[in-house]
Each structure stands twice: as structure tokens, then as C-alpha cells.
């Protein structure tokens, strides 16, 4: 063996086995996803979906809320809505890597009454792109006339993101009247970053935080 070959880094057998296991698991998740996709196309009206059908993925900042948090947010979006109310759920982490190439259908512009957004990354670039998407989808940029007594037709915006993004979030969503709330989103496996919920109205599930009251 030459001196140059001696200098080439070599992975141990254990490391190679772990790497192979990682890629095998990744392939299995992809096959599972494709199977679910095929089922969805055949049984769109009958299939009851579960978040457990998809795995969390730290590489693309893909983490799930607890059932309690997800239910609270879903109920807020559905509260006193009508058959004509349109709801947008912005930011699927698994597709965020394609965000720079994302072209939303023109017919979605200005169509949504209620929007919840959870930017997948705690960076200014990601937060700004998510806010621009929210503005583009929203029917109105105006805050509710009475944020403490929101009306069915008012534009509602909910943002869930890290506490350290608070100042930027309040600036980006200022026209909507978004403020920090008392609701603290929880994740199934916990996160090292403290999460907060921001909204442009108070509700049964939350009030304004002390510094916003």
C-alpha cells in the first residue's frame, strides 16, 4: 500500500453499519410515503390520516406537535367558520427545501380567511419567506376591528415559531396586528428551542402575553 493510500480516511465497521442502517431506514420511509400517496389518490374521502404515518426528520427541521397542541390550533382555525371559509396551513417542512423554486397557483392569491404558519427554520430568510407567503394568501392585511372579540369574517393569522424570533415575527406580521400570546405549542419529542404562538386576535385558547396586554 502506498503512502497516499495510508492517508485516506477509513470508516470503522461499526460506522459503516450505522450508515448503511440510516440509508436503509430512509429508503423504507420513502417507500412508505409512496404507498400512502397511492392510497390517498384511491381513498381520498375514506382514509383517516395520522401524523404517525410520517417520521420526524431533524435534517429538514421536521418535528410534530403533540396531539393537544395540534387539536387546539385546529379548533381555533375551525371556530365559527362557514362553508365558504378558506383555511391555509403554510409550511410543510418536508417541502421547504424547494421553497426557492415554489410557484403558488395564481388562483390562491388573496383567497384565505384564516392562516396558520409554522416556518420550519429559525432564520431571518425562512421567516421572511413564510411571512411573504402568508401575505400573498391572505384576503386582507388588516387586523380584526376588535381583536378581543373577533368576528367570523375577520382575517385571522396564527404563527407558531421560536421565542427568539419574536421581534422579527412581530415586525413581519405587524400589518395583520399579530401579537405574542400566552399559548405555548408543545412537540411530541420536545425541542431545545422555546416555542411561542403569535396571533392577531385573542381566543378561548389564549390571551395576549403580559408584555402585549
Amino acid at each position: 500500500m502506498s503512502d497516499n493510500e495510508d492517508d485516506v480516511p477509513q470508516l470503522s465497521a461499526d460506522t459503516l453499519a450505522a450508515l448503511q442502517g440510516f440509508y436503509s431506514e430512509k429508503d423504507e420511509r420513502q417507500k412508505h410515503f409512496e404507498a400512502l400517496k397511492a392510497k390517498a389518490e384511491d381513498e381520498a374521502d375514506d382514509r383517516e390520516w395520522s401524523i404517525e404515518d410520517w417520521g420526524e426528520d431533524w435534517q429538514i427541521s421536521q418535528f410534530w406537535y403533540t396531539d393537544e397542541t395540534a387539536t387546539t390550533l385546529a379548533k381555533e382555525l375551525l371556530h365559527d367558520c362557514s362553508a365558504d371559509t378558506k383555511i391555509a396551513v403554510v409550511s410543510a417542512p418536508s417541502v421547504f427545501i424547494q421553497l426557492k423554486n415554489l410557484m403558488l397557483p395564481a388562483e390562491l392569491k388573496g383567497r384565505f380567511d384564516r392562516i396558520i404558519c409554522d416556518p420550519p427554520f429559525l432564520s431571518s430568510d425562512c421567516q421572511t419567506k413564510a411571512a411573504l407567503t402568508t401575505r400573498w394568501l391572505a384576503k386582507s392585511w388588516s387586523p380584526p376591528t376588535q381583536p378581543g372579540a373577533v368576528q367570523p369574517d375577520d382575517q385571522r393569522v396564527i404563527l407558531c415559531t421560536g421565542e427568539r424570533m419574536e421581534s422579527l415575527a412581530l415586525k413581519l406580521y405587524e400589518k395583520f396586528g399579530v401579537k405574542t400570546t400566552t399559548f405555548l405549542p408543545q412537540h411530541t419529542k420536545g425541542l431545545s428551542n422555546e416555542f411561542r404562538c403569535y396571533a392577531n386576535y385573542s381566543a378561548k385558547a389564549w390571551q395576549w402575553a403580559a408584555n402585549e396586554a
Side-chain angles (χ1 to χ4, degrees), residues 194-207:
E194 292 295 328
F195 247 64
R196 296 302 296 259
C197 176
Y198 309 86
N200 67 340
Y201 66 101
S202 58
K204 183 178 180 180
W206 58 69
Q207 299 298 317

Side-chain angles (χ1 to χ4, degrees), residues 21-100:
F22 170 79
Y23 283 114
S24 295
E25 183 180 347
K26 186 176 181 181
D27 289 341
E28 285 300 316
R29 286 202 306 266
Q30 183 61 34
K31 290 177 182 177
H32 181 58
F33 174 77
E34 293 299 332
L36 288 172
K37 181 181 177 182
K39 269 194 171 185
E41 292 171 350
D42 293 335
E43 308 167 11
D45 295 330
D46 300 324
R47 175 75 161 87
E48 183 174 341
W49 296 101
S50 167
I51 195 62
E52 298 303 324
D53 288 325
W54 289 272
E56 294 184 331
D57 191 335
W58 64 268
Q59 290 183 309
I60 53 174
S61 194
Q62 183 168 279
F63 307 105
W64 307 143
Y65 291 133
T66 61
D67 287 343
E68 182 179 4
T69 291
T71 300
T72 297
L73 295 170
K75 284 183 176 179
E76 275 305 318
L77 289 168
L78 293 172
H79 179 65
D80 70 20
C81 67
S82 69
D84 296 324
T85 303
K86 295 178 178 62
I87 299 173
V89 180
V90 181
S91 252
S94 59
V95 300
F96 179 73
I97 54 175
Q98 301 297 332
L99 187 58
K100 291 185 179 180

Side-chain angles (χ1 to χ4, degrees), residues 61-182:
S61 194
Q62 183 168 279
F63 307 105
W64 307 143
Y65 291 133
T66 61
D67 287 343
E68 182 179 4
T69 291
T71 300
T72 297
L73 295 170
K75 284 183 176 179
E76 275 305 318
L77 289 168
L78 293 172
H79 179 65
D80 70 20
C81 67
S82 69
D84 296 324
T85 303
K86 295 178 178 62
I87 299 173
V89 180
V90 181
S91 252
S94 59
V95 300
F96 179 73
I97 54 175
Q98 301 297 332
L99 187 58
K100 291 185 179 180
N101 300 318
L102 180 62
M103 293 295 290
L104 293 171
E107 61 269 20
L108 296 183
K109 184 177 182 179
R111 292 288 302 278
F112 294 91
D113 310 279
R114 304 174 185 197
I115 302 174
I116 182 170
C117 181
D118 182 347
F121 296 107
L122 302 182
S123 68
S124 297
D125 179 63
C126 176
Q127 298 285 329
T128 300
K129 284 184 171 68
L132 290 173
T133 301
T134 299
R135 292 184 193 179
W136 193 85
L137 293 169
K139 272 189 176 180
S140 168
W141 291 13
S142 301
T145 306
Q146 301 179 56
V150 67
Q151 300 302 305
D153 293 335
D154 284 337
Q155 177 73 58
R156 303 187 196 186
V157 175
I158 301 170
L159 171 70
C160 295
T161 191
E163 184 177 38
R164 66 186 178 90
M165 304 307 297
E166 181 178 32
S167 60
L168 177 60
L170 297 182
K171 180 179 179 180
L172 290 172
Y173 296 86
E174 183 178 8
K175 287 189 175 182
F176 288 113
V178 164
K179 297 180 181 180
T180 308
T181 75
T182 55

